[in-house]
Amino acid sequence: MSDTPSFPVAASTQELERGEVLAPRFGPDGLIAAVATHAETGEVLMLAWMNTEALRLTLDTGEAHYWSRSRRKLWKKGETSGQVQRVEEVRIDCDQDAVWLKVRPQGDGGACHVGFRSCFYRVVEDGRLVEQP
């Protein structure tokens, strides 16, 4: 890991849920869920994971960074695809264990490595997956 400074721990439930201190609660694996939606349309683009370093870099640079569980490494969204996600707003849920990024995708406007605009391009119909544009 790097020398990325950690985030503070909330002193109480009141501080966690209603306070002004960003005190994200990372899971036992050191990760927090991050949902990215299109800043203009509200469309859900992807669900990814962040560790402390990814969240700190996202906040510091204004561009989305994530932790790849499969590759076990930090990655900047769009580093190779050009689909950089410029962050317009960062929200955290009530108990600070999930992050919501409102982003403006760059490049071809997509978010999915398979080539779709959103990673949620399939609908479950009668137990089968059907691609939807």
Side-chain angles (χ1 to χ4, degrees):
M1 277 305 198
S2 72
D3 295 328
T4 304
S6 61
F7 290 91
V9 175
S12 67
T13 301
Q14 175 70 18
E15 184 179 301
L16 181 73
E17 295 176 350
R18 302 300 302 265
E20 295 182 359
V21 175
L22 176 60
R25 294 184 326 136
F26 295 89
D29 56 1
L31 302 176
I32 192 169
V35 176
T37 63
H38 195 289
E40 187 176 318
T41 67
E43 177 182 15
V44 176
L45 299 175
M46 59 186 279
L47 168 74
W49 299 94
M50 294 179 146
N51 62 2
T52 301
E53 186 175 11
L55 180 55
R56 179 67 63 205
L57 281 168
T58 298
L59 294 171
D60 290 349
T61 67
E63 294 182 345
H65 290 73
Y66 301 104
W67 176 259
S68 170
R69 295 184 303 170
S70 60
R71 294 175 294 172
R72 303 206 42 78
K73 69 179 237 178
L74 183 73
W75 58 285
K76 175 184 172 184
K77 178 64 179 156
E79 202 165 39
T80 56
S81 68
Q83 298 171 337
V84 171
Q85 292 178 344
R86 294 236 157 71
V87 178
E88 291 204 358
E89 183 175 280
V90 178
R91 291 188 180 217
I92 195 153
D93 75 334
C94 55
D95 56 356
Q96 297 201 43
D97 66 358
V99 175
W100 174 14
L101 304 177
K102 293 184 181 184
V103 302
R104 288 206 181 266
Q106 304 300 296
D108 65 7
C112 183
H113 75 283
V114 178
F116 290 86
R117 178 177 167 94
S118 167
C119 292
F120 296 92
Y121 59 89
R122 294 181 287 184
V123 175
V124 179
E125 291 181 1
D126 298 322
R128 296 184 54 224
L129 298 178
V130 179
E131 286 187 10
Q132 299 291 310

